């Protein structure tokens, strides 16, 4: 499961039902099949690939790949996160021997092909026309008449990605006339890109992409937009840039490479409350509903980015090993909520309302107290999303509250991030051990982490919050948290919680 470790997919907030609909049936054929060997200097361990858009309706791309170690087995990935059935999309697989002679590939099962002789070139088509829930669009490659999001993690054969297969990829794009590209890879020419992290490489392609960049610290932060938006390009850069600066300050750590935010409208004319995002290495892919007023879109953009941009730090800049989704998802949800409050994107009442909603979601999950946060993180893609997101978020809230109260508002959860970044960037370390160590040190005791992170600590907000004057009431519209009757001492802690 190393493949998933640093991939952060924020799946919960934008469960989509609307299917992407191709707008016209215009067919764009741009591909000319040329074997890649000609004229391309093949470096050892570098996979040379060409990706060509065959047609946008129906959506199809052609991939040609040339590799240094011949093989007779081609195996495509079938799943990414909780998206399944991806292997069905691969068609017309064919191979070539080093001497250029064609070799037929026999399909053994969906996504599994074998050739009678060893080959070092393959070509295949990927059918991207199948319906896909809009919430998957930030996680899996897609293409339509207006744009495409291409992710190498689901487009390249797995069998070429094993250890020793290759360590880098050079991608050349063939796009429909008038289309351009943006990528988190290193740009070599206008349509070729290099990466040493093939699984993290993402392309946004389309006819009308707007790109704007600014320096933040020593690096560039770029925003690439597709589609029509009710706010100006520079506002996107301003909002994202502010959040990047805030997290640099919070963690005491500046991003070490250029970063790109790719922003695309959520499918089906959706309001800005609908969004789905994923952060891969130095790229944030965000699909956000664009059907709303400028104010609504700005506010939701800020809320989505407060979460997603933090993933550029946690986990993507940490050198931590192991399954610790409880921390980089659950604690990130909470820390992003704190950022929303700090940037005045939400009120303190909204903050309490969000915690109440998450508590309801936690209470409604039958598996909520079956596994510890660490155990749940090992099974995030199968059964334990509520624990990893909801319960871990509530644990972060309780930790923050108790730390603020016990320190007389001199410390908070935010401080532990700075300490974590001093410790877990240069030297590789075990994630759970390191994070729990920092949490315990800040708190001055070990029982909190043992109870709620290592063991199956049951969360009871009613009793946990009553010492702070926060009353938990259950109404027909869901749980409510209110602090209207707090005494003077309790108000001190509440005021601390309400400010940053
Ligand atoms: Zn996330």
């Amino acid at each position: 499961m190393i493949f998933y470790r640093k991939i952060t997919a924020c799946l919960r907030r934008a469960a989509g039902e609307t299917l992407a609909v191709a707008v016209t049936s215009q067919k764009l054929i741009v591909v000319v099949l040329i074997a890649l060997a000609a004229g391309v200097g093949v470096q050892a361990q570098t996979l040379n690939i060409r990706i060509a858009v065959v047609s946008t309706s129906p959506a199809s791309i052609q991939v040609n790949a040339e590799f240094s170690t011949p093989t007779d087995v081609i195996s495509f990935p079938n799943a990414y996160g909780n998206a399944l059935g991806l292997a069905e999309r691969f068609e017309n697989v064919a191979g070539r021997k080093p001497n250029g002679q064609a070799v037929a590939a026999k399909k053994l099962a969906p996504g599994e092909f074998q050739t009678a002789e060893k080959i070092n070139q393959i070509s295949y088509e990927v059918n991207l026309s199948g319906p896909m829930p809009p919430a998957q669009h930030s996680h899996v490659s897609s293409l339509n008449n207006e744009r495409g999001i291409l992710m190498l993690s689901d487009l390249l054969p797995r069998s070429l990605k094993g250890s020793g297969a290759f360590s880098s990829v050079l991608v050349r794009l063939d796009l429909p006339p008038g289309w351009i590209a943006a990528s988190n890879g290193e740009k070599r020419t206008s349509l070729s890109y290099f990466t040493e992290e093939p699984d993290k490489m993402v392309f946004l392609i389309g006819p009308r992409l707007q790109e704007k960049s600014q320096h933040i610290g020593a690096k560039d932060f770029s925003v690439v937009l597709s589609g029509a938006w009710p706010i100006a390009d520079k506002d996107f850069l301003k909002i994202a840039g502010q959040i990047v600066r805030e997290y640099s300050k919070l963690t005491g750590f500046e991003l070490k490479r250029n970063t790109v935010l790719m922003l695309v409208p959520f499918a089906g004319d959706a309001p800005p409350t609908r969004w789905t995002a994923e952060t891969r290495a130095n790229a944030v892919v965000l699909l956000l509903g664009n059907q709303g007023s400028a104010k609504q879109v700005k506010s939701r953009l800020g809320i989505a980015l407060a979460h997603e941009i933090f993933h550029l730090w946690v986990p993507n800049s940490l050198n931590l090993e192991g399954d610790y989704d409880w921390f980089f998802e659950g604690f990130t949800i909470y820390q992003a909520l704190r950022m929303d409050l700090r940037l005045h994107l939400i009120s303190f009442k909204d903050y309490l309302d969000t915690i109440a909603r998450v508590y309801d979601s936690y209470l409604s999950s039958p598996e909520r107290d079956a596994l510890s946060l660490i155990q749940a993180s090992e099974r995030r893609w199968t059964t334990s999303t509520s624990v990893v997101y909801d319960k871990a978020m509530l644990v972060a809230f309780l930790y923050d509250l108790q730390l603020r109260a016990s320190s007389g508002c001199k410390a908070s959860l935010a401080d532990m991030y700075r300490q974590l970044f001093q410790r877990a960037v240069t030297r590789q370390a075990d994630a759970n051990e390191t994070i729990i160590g920092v949490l315990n040190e800040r708190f001055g005791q070990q029982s909190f982490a043992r109870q709620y992170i290592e063991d199956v600590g049951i969360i009871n907000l009613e009793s946990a919050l009553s010492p702070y004057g926060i009353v938990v009431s259950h109404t027909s519209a869901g749980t409510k948290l209110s602090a209207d009757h707090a005494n003077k001492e309790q108000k001190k802690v509440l005021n601390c919680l309400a400010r940053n």
Side-chain angles (χ1 to χ4, degrees):
M1 294 302 285
I2 291 167
F3 179 61
Y4 288 127
R5 188 161 297 141
K6 287 197 174 180
I7 292 172
T8 58
C10 304
L11 303 169
R12 290 296 302 280
R13 295 209 197 165
E17 299 88 30
T18 325
L19 301 181
V21 177
V23 179
T24 74
S25 60
Q26 184 196 16
K27 190 163 183 172
L28 294 162
I29 306 229
V30 292
V31 109
V32 183
L33 299 179
I34 306 165
L36 281 179
V40 180
V42 181
Q43 299 163 12
Q45 307 302 314
T46 294
L47 180 73
N48 283 279
I49 73 169
R50 190 186 62 146
I51 299 177
V53 174
V54 177
S55 158
T56 57
S57 182
S60 175
I61 60 167
Q62 163 109 28
V63 180
N64 287 34
E66 183 190 6
F67 34 95
S68 46
T69 311
T71 181
D72 55 3
V73 177
I74 302 152
S75 166
F76 292 100
N78 190 43
Y80 179 85
N82 57 7
L84 303 173
L86 302 177
E88 304 281 355
R89 308 183 306 170
F90 297 93
E91 299 166 343
N92 300 327
V93 179
R96 273 182 198 278
K97 295 203 287 189
N99 66 8
Q101 196 185 337
V103 179
K106 191 176 163 203
K107 186 173 180 177
L108 306 175
E112 304 294 327
F113 298 85
Q114 184 147 36
T115 51
E117 294 176 78
K118 293 221 169 188
I119 55 166
N120 77 330
Q121 292 171 44
I122 51 167
S123 70
Y124 51 91
E125 287 184 17
V126 191
N127 178 350
L128 298 175
S129 64
M132 180 168 49
Q136 297 285 13
H137 287 194
S138 60
H139 309 303
V140 178
S141 298
S142 64
L143 175 67
N144 59 34
N145 286 329
E146 291 165 56
R147 69 190 66 87
I149 300 173
L150 304 178
M151 299 166 167
L152 292 197
S153 57
D154 62 77
L155 296 178
L156 293 188
R158 211 169 27 201
S159 44
L160 296 178
K161 299 197 287 188
S163 59
F166 62 88
S167 57
S168 57
V169 167
L170 183 66
V171 180
R172 202 152 52 83
L173 298 172
D174 274 341
L175 301 179
W179 282 41
I180 54 173
S183 174
N184 60 336
E186 192 185 310
K187 196 169 182 169
R188 289 285 167 90
T189 67
S190 68
L191 285 174
S192 77
Y193 295 85
F194 177 83
T195 183
E196 289 180 334
E197 293 177 289
D199 270 343
K200 311 279 174 64
M201 197 179 208
V202 187
F203 296 96
L204 175 59
I205 58 173
R208 282 176 296 275
L209 304 182
Q210 307 288 337
E211 182 161 359
K212 284 224 169 341
S213 296
Q214 63 176 314
H215 287 299
I216 298 182
K219 295 292 162 190
D220 286 338
F221 187 88
S222 310
V223 176
V224 186
L225 293 170
S226 172
W229 295 90
I231 59 177
D233 300 5
K234 63 175 177 21
D235 289 333
F236 286 98
L237 198 59
K238 194 175 154 195
I239 293 166
Q242 185 184 18
I243 293 170
V244 170
R245 287 190 191 88
E246 288 287 343
Y247 284 134
S248 298
K249 236 187 297 173
L250 179 94
T251 57
F253 180 85
E254 302 256 357
L255 294 175
K256 296 289 176 254
R257 49 186 173 164
N258 296 338
T259 302
V260 58
L261 163 65
M262 299 174 184
L263 192 55
V264 169
F266 195 92
D269 289 339
T273 44
R274 305 289 302 279
W275 63 274
T276 177
E278 178 162 333
T279 302
R280 292 184 199 213
N282 55 336
V284 177
V285 177
L286 170 62
L287 290 97
L288 178 78
N290 61 352
Q291 301 299 303
S293 67
K295 195 179 166 204
Q296 288 166 332
V297 170
K298 269 188 197 173
S299 159
R300 284 291 160 171
L301 175 73
I303 288 170
L305 290 180
H307 179 106
E308 216 51 43
I309 283 180
F310 198 38
H311 283 321
L312 294 168
W313 277 263
V314 181
N316 293 7
S317 296
L318 291 170
N319 200 353
L320 292 175
E321 283 295 307
D323 294 312
Y324 63 113
D325 308 42
W326 64 271
F327 181 74
F328 71 69
E329 286 302 353
F331 274 55
T332 292
I333 292 173
Y334 180 72
Q335 199 51 51
L337 188 69
R338 298 291 321 168
M339 186 58 75
D340 297 341
L341 195 59
R342 180 175 173 78
L343 299 180
H344 306 291
L345 295 166
I346 60 168
S347 65
F348 186 57
K349 183 182 175 298
D350 295 331
Y351 166 88
L352 291 178
D353 287 349
T354 303
I355 290 162
R357 270 199 308 276
V358 174
Y359 188 47
D360 281 337
S361 177
Y362 160 74
L363 291 178
S364 70
S365 166
E367 61 186 359
R368 63 185 177 272
D369 299 315
L371 300 168
S372 71
L373 295 191
I374 294 175
Q375 289 168 327
S377 298
E378 291 161 4
R379 312 167 201 196
R380 170 176 168 195
W381 299 110
T382 48
T383 58
S384 305
T385 51
S386 176
V387 178
V388 166
Y389 287 84
D390 300 331
K391 187 171 181 180
M393 189 271 202
L394 296 170
V395 169
F397 164 59
L398 289 180
Y399 180 90
D400 191 36
L401 175 64
Q402 292 183 24
L403 186 55
R404 283 169 192 261
S406 64
S407 68
C409 205
K410 288 196 173 64
S412 73
L413 173 66
D415 302 325
M416 73 81 64
Y417 283 101
R418 188 171 278 265
Q419 205 168 337
L420 184 63
F421 272 83
Q422 282 167 1
R423 223 168 267 192
V425 172
T426 47
R427 169 179 75 82
Q428 193 175 79
D430 178 84
N432 289 311
E433 204 179 290
T434 307
I435 295 161
I436 290 170
V438 176
L439 289 172
N440 286 342
E441 225 170 280
R442 280 267 136 206
F443 215 33
Q445 45 132 312
Q446 299 184 355
S447 58
F448 184 93
R450 195 176 302 126
Q451 182 182 355
Y452 288 114
I453 298 167
E454 295 171 274
D455 291 340
V456 188
I458 293 170
I459 294 182
N460 182 326
L461 280 193
E462 289 83 344
S463 61
L465 300 186
S466 74
Y468 305 100
I470 303 174
V471 176
V472 180
S473 52
H474 300 280
T475 72
S476 57
T479 298
K480 293 275 167 239
L481 303 186
S482 61
D484 300 340
H485 303 291
N487 64 32
K488 208 174 159 192
E489 276 307 298
Q490 290 168 333
K491 273 185 183 147
K492 271 191 203 164
V493 178
L494 288 169
N495 286 337
C496 173
L497 200 60
R499 64 171 192 264
N500 279 278

